[in-house]
């Protein structure tokens, strides 16, 4: 039977936006302290070393990690203004000074969602068309973003890459999650995004992750439950079912 143990234990303080590095050896997260001078993005490893602050917070911005660029020490940042301005996208080189520099900033809203595990593509939400759309853009060698490629056909909100980088799953303007297939170059194929699950019909909470084998993991709501206040994770669920069946057969 599997066990669960917290990687980050910080009583009385808020931790948000955890993002694993593609090699699974580092975890970036945002730590909210009582004073913004102590807040920022930290990175912890699995070797017992203390967490290291890699991106400092400021009076102007609240920077949350959004994902790592594969094969690099570059961390994509979802930059939220503390002065009621629109969100933007920044990037920090953890092998350098760790300062977050603007990557995409405009009068509109750009909200970083995820990074590809095998290419240099970033998925984000943009309202440049007048409504929220999910787009892909490649981080070029000169540190700038390439032209945006629209993934969603209607309104798009949250989304995630598959662990293999061959698909991007996202919410449309209803209760449906769609899958957009990606080629080896990280670009969308000619196949239109296909619906894979109806959240309302399946009583699913509107958050998910993609497992290594490509399946989607959700939290299911009980009948009549408007929101989820608690959920339990059961490792080796099939073994647990067989054990209980043996006990009932005695």
């Amino acid at each position: 039977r599997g066990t669960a143990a917290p990687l980050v234990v910080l009583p009385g303080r808020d931790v948000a936006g955890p993002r694993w590095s593609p090699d699974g050896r580092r975890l970036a997260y945002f730590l909210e302290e009582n004073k913004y001078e102590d807040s920022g993005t930290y990175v912890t490893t699995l070797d017992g070393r203390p967490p290291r602050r890699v991106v400092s917070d400021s009076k102007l911005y609240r920077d949350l990690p959004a994902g790592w660029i594969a094969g690099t020490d570059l961390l994509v940042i979802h930059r939220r203004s503390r002065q009621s301005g629109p969100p933007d996208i920044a990037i920090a080189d953890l092998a350098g000074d760790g300062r977050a520099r603007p990557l995409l900033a405009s009068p509109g809203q750009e909200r970083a969602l995820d990074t590809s595990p095998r290419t240099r593509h970033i998925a984000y939400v943009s309202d440049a068309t007048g409504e929220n759309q999910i787009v892909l853009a490649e981080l070029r060698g000169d540190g700038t973003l390439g032209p945006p490629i629209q993934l969603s056909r209607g309104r798009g909100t949250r989304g995630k890459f598959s662990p293999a980088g061959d698909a991007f799953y996202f919410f449309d303007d209803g209760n449906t999650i769609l899958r957009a297939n990606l080629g080896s170059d990280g670009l969308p194929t000619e196949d239109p995004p296909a619906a894979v699950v109806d959240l309302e019909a399946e009583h699913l909470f509107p958050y998910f992750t993609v497992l290594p084998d490509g399946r989607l993991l959700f939290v299911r709501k009980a009948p009549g439950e408007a929101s989820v206040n608690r959920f339990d994770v059961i490792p080796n669920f099939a073994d647990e079912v067989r054990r209980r069946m043996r006990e009932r057969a005695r």
Side-chain angles (χ1 to χ4, degrees), residues 50-61:
R52 178 173 68 100
R53 186 168 66 174
V54 295
V55 179
S56 299
D57 210 14
S58 73
K59 291 182 179 180
L60 298 178
Y61 304 111

Side-chain angles (χ1 to χ4, degrees), residues 131-155:
E131 63 178 357
N132 287 336
Q133 299 284 353
I134 293 179
V135 296
L136 288 181
E138 184 178 17
L139 181 65
R140 295 182 289 205
D142 62 359
T144 62
L145 276 182
I149 301 169
Q150 186 171 313
L151 275 185
S152 55
R153 304 297 172 88
R155 184 174 179 271

Side-chain angles (χ1 to χ4, degrees), residues 30-33 35-40 53 55-57:
F30 178 79
L31 171 64
E32 182 79 62
E33 290 277 15
K35 296 181 179 180
Y36 75 84
E37 294 93 341
D38 300 321
S39 300
R53 186 168 66 174
V55 179
S56 299
D57 210 14

Side-chain angles (χ1 to χ4, degrees), residues 89-126:
I89 302 174
I91 193 165
D93 186 355
L94 305 191
D97 59 12
R99 293 182 180 178
R101 62 174 180 81
L103 182 61
L104 183 59
S106 76
Q109 299 190 49
E110 292 92 21
R111 178 165 50 89
L113 293 176
D114 200 7
T115 53
S116 171
R118 67 175 179 179
T119 66
R120 294 172 62 90
H121 286 86
I122 300 169
Y124 62 95
V125 175
S126 171

Side-chain angles (χ1 to χ4, degrees), residues 13-245:
R13 289 173 285 179
D14 290 329
V15 175
R19 292 291 185 270
W20 284 105
S21 62
D23 60 9
R25 296 181 178 180
R26 293 179 290 178
L27 179 70
Y29 60 91
F30 178 79
L31 171 64
E32 182 79 62
E33 290 277 15
N34 293 327
K35 296 181 179 180
Y36 75 84
E37 294 93 341
D38 300 321
S39 300
T41 294
Y42 287 72
V43 170
T44 188
T45 59
L46 302 181
D47 58 8
R49 287 182 292 177
R52 178 173 68 100
R53 186 168 66 174
V54 295
V55 179
S56 299
D57 210 14
S58 73
K59 291 182 179 180
L60 298 178
Y61 304 111
R62 186 172 185 256
D63 292 336
L64 288 84
W68 305 70
I69 298 296
T72 73
D73 285 311
L74 300 175
L75 189 65
V76 176
I77 300 293
H78 169 47
R79 169 161 280 182
R80 295 163 63 174
S81 172
R82 293 186 181 272
Q83 312 294 327
S84 72
D88 293 314
I89 302 174
I91 193 165
D93 186 355
L94 305 191
D97 59 12
R99 293 182 180 178
R101 62 174 180 81
L103 182 61
L104 183 59
S106 76
Q109 299 190 49
E110 292 92 21
R111 178 165 50 89
L113 293 176
D114 200 7
T115 53
S116 171
R118 67 175 179 179
T119 66
R120 294 172 62 90
H121 286 86
I122 300 169
Y124 62 95
V125 175
S126 171
D127 65 355
T129 64
E131 63 178 357
N132 287 336
Q133 299 284 353
I134 293 179
V135 296
L136 288 181
E138 184 178 17
L139 181 65
R140 295 182 289 205
D142 62 359
T144 62
L145 276 182
I149 301 169
Q150 186 171 313
L151 275 185
S152 55
R153 304 297 172 88
R155 184 174 179 271
T157 54
R158 296 183 296 272
K160 292 180 181 293
F161 283 97
S162 65
D166 60 349
F168 190 81
Y169 294 88
F170 62 93
F171 287 94
D172 68 355
D173 53 5
N175 291 296
T176 305
I177 288 184
L178 296 95
R179 172 187 166 113
N181 292 324
L182 305 175
S184 58
D185 56 0
L187 299 176
T189 65
E190 295 181 357
D191 305 323
V196 294
V197 64
D198 185 317
L199 300 181
E200 187 173 0
E202 298 293 337
H203 306 290
L204 302 174
F205 196 60
Y207 295 96
F208 69 97
T209 192
V210 190
L211 299 177
D213 61 6
R215 292 180 298 167
L216 304 186
L217 178 64
F218 293 90
V219 174
R220 172 165 280 159
K221 295 183 285 187
E225 187 177 22
S227 62
V228 176
N229 298 316
R230 168 188 168 178
F231 63 91
D232 298 320
V233 177
I234 304 176
N236 303 319
F237 179 74
D239 294 340
E240 180 68 11
V241 171
R242 284 190 286 268
R243 183 187 67 79
R244 295 191 182 190
M245 291 179 65

